[in-house]
Amino acid sequence: MTLIHHDFADQMDRFGGNTALECFNCGTCAAICPLIYEHFPRKMIRYLQLGAKDRILENAKELWRCLHCGLCSRTCPREADPGEVILGLKRYVVANWRKS
Amino acid sequence: MSSETKPEEKEEKVGVYICYCGGNISDHVDVEAVRDRVEKIPGVAVARTNMFMCSDPGQELIMEDLRDGIVDRVVVASCAPSLHEMTFRSAISRAGENPYIYEHANIREQVSWVHHGEQATDKATLLVSAATAKAVRLKPLEPIRVNAMSHATIIGGGIAGMRAAVDLADRGIEVALIEKSPFLGGQLALLDKLAPTREKASELVSHLASRVINHASIKVHSCTTVEHFEGYVGNFKVGIKKHPLESNAYKEKMKMLNPVHKSAEAFIPFAGVYSGPVPSAAEELVIDTGVIILATGIKSYTPYQGEYGYGEFPEVITLSDLIRNLAENNNGGSLLEINGRKIKSMAMIHCVGSRQIPGIHPEDASGHLNEYCSRTCCSALLNASNVIRETYPKTRVYEFYRDIRTYGRGQEELYEQASKNRVVFIRFESQEAPEVSKNGYSDEFPLLIKAKDILTFGEEVEVPVDLVVLATGVEPNEISKIVDMMKLPVGPDRFLLEVHPKLRPVELPVSGIFLAGTCQAPMDAGEACSGASGAAVKAAALLSRGYVELDPFVADVDIQKCNGTGACVEACLSDGALELVEMEIDGQKVQRAKVTPAFCLGCGACVAVCPENAIDVNGWTLKQYEAMVNAIVAE
Ligand SMILES: Cc1cc2nc3c(=O)[nH]c(=O)nc-3n(C[C@H](O)[C@H](O)[C@H](O)COP(=O)(O)OP(=O)(O)OC[C@H]3O[C@@H](n4cnc5c(N)ncnc54)[C@H](O)[C@@H]3O)c2cc1C
Ligand code: SF4
Ligand code: SF4
Ligand code: SF4
């Protein structure tokens, strides 16, 4: 069960790269990502969209797999900039690590 | 009827034209063998073949033979007559001959598509022989010409009815606009900022309504229903009834009329444009009219008790309720307020009462399921979400959808804009619809929506909300009385059914009756106006000649043989088509049958019962049938 936190998307603004709500969940980024790992990075982007911050913290380690190769951002058909969103999420996790 | 021309008296010269249909026929039928055989039939002057008889060179073959006087009867053996009978009749007309000296043999659907080899060639020969035997006995006919009144009656005063009324009146045609309520504007008058442009519905409705009310050629009959109907294209009679306020259902809305508004032309929000005084007593009238346009429109779907919590929780409302609230709210804060409650988070649920699936959704009380998409709710909902997010930035919006169907110009942009406005989309499968329940976690948000979200890999998500808006779709207005009176076809979805969805999209099969707007299918206001203008043009074209021509395939009485038994009158299925009239023959007063061609269906029920063989259907006489049967059984 994923409980939604309404203000999460706005809270993310100060961590940068908050374009997740532009994403329409096509999965192109997950297909192109060299990690080929469990819908990464779309899954993380989806959790951000929903405001499922518990899920993000639970799965925070996954964020550090990202190579920042930028392939996803280059192929995303919307302006969701998934690579940047992953970076923003890392900043968020670093800022909230201890609290959780 | 003049007595049947006997083939012996004068040699008819039948031309037979057999088509290959580019292989469609000739792959199975030996077309040249058929030609060789039918050429020998008495009465056949020439028999020719062509790769495509419907092509220009094919038609030219026929026209040349007619012009040269080689033939005076034409048989084409090709595809089904529904496809090309008109093509060949018109070729005959262009060659200067009467188009009714034509007979068609279908050797594609009835032969080459279902038989093969020798059998196919034999059956094709038989069908062509039968057509030839009939052709010998064909006589030139004239279409039935009836005067058409330059007057149109439009039923329904929504955007579509008003659009059609103005278009026709501008063309110089008198219009009666019949509206059952005291207001013009229909559903559109119940809306505010329209998708996709945010144009004000009130402005569109006021603009058209004032043209309607002030047009010298348009008479608006409000509070009026249609009670009787008779006649035929060009000459219909529509019986109408005006209802005083006590007996009509619009009392509530009439209360909104303050004295200032009591003059015509005033737009009253969420009611429409008041088009003049409500009749003080019931009154019945008959309108003589040439054409009828149906524009009876739609109503908004009402959710059943408990559908997504509707009727159980006051926080669950419909899209129509939301639109009205948005229009009437001007609280100006950063949070939307509905009924005095601040809305921090709200859910919109798509496809309520639309795209229902047997086995998943329950039927309504009368056993109906709305399996169609209502087409306007996605855009109207996204439009509302954008308005809310832009006006009340602190109000969060979640859209629960099955599919987003923003199909028209400027509509996909609404979806993009919603993403930019941080509207969150959650997608569900029809069989796992979201559940609306009381929020057990906290008092902050009264309701909780649970959904299995496809976009989150099927995980269950829970959204606490203050408000749930159901994107209720549309249903056609109840017009079964009109449907029965005018004998109109209705689709399984209960909307009126046009003759052909692409080739004749605004016509009903009853000649002279058209459809405009959402009585045909769910559409947005722009599409409703396109349909209405299309219907108006079709109606104007029909009336422009001052007369209409009907097919001459109607019953015809041989006065010499008729002895007035009246069996035909009793058998006739069409009111007014046949009657016994008194006339003088050889100084004696006698009763004889008389046909009113415009009412005759050409069904032949009368022919079957006449003991004297005194009545026949032109173009399909008993003698012609006999000749066809003889040709088939002759060996
Ligand atoms: C909730 C909702 C939101 C919508 N949002 C939008 C939008 O944002 N943009 C958009 O373009 N479209 C929108 N639409 C669609 C729009 O309302 C329709 O396209 C439009 O109203 C169709 O007009 P119409 O004339 O065909 O039918 P209607 O508006 O339904 O008018 C029919 C008229 O006929 C009258 N009538 C019915 N039966 C009879 C009878 N037997 N005798 C006499 N009179 C009769 C009715 O009283 C009514 O006045 C929305 C619809 C709904 C329900
Ligand atoms: S930037 Fe990261 S998430 Fe994007 S494709 Fe490269 S490794 Fe994958
Ligand atoms: S490619 Fe872009 S739009 Fe598609 S899922 Fe990834 S982030 Fe979303
Ligand atoms: S327009 Fe959208 S909400 Fe309406 S029925 Fe169609 S898919 Fe559902």
Side-chain angles (χ1 to χ4, degrees), chain A residues 1-4 6-7 9-10 13 18 21-22 24-25 39 42-43 46-47 49-50 55 78-79, chain B residues 345 396 398 415-416 419-420 422-426 445 453 455-457 459-464:
Chain A
M1 188 70 67
T2 307
L3 190 65
I4 276 156
H6 302 306
D7 299 326
D10 290 351
D13 280 342
N18 191 9
L21 278 144
E22 293 273 345
F24 60 6
N25 291 285
H39 304 286
R42 174 167 89 82
K43 198 170 188 171
R46 180 63 185 158
Y47 287 145
Q49 283 190 326
L50 286 175
R55 279 279 190 276
R78 302 273 279 196
E79 283 152 20
Chain B
S345 147
R396 306 272 160 204
Y398 296 86
Y415 174 65
E416 291 219 32
S419 298
K420 293 220 183 330
R422 296 190 169 175
V423 172
V424 179
F425 291 90
I426 293 167
F445 299 98
D453 178 24
L455 302 181
T456 317
F457 319 96
E459 284 183 34
E460 206 159 84
V461 298
E462 288 182 326
V463 187

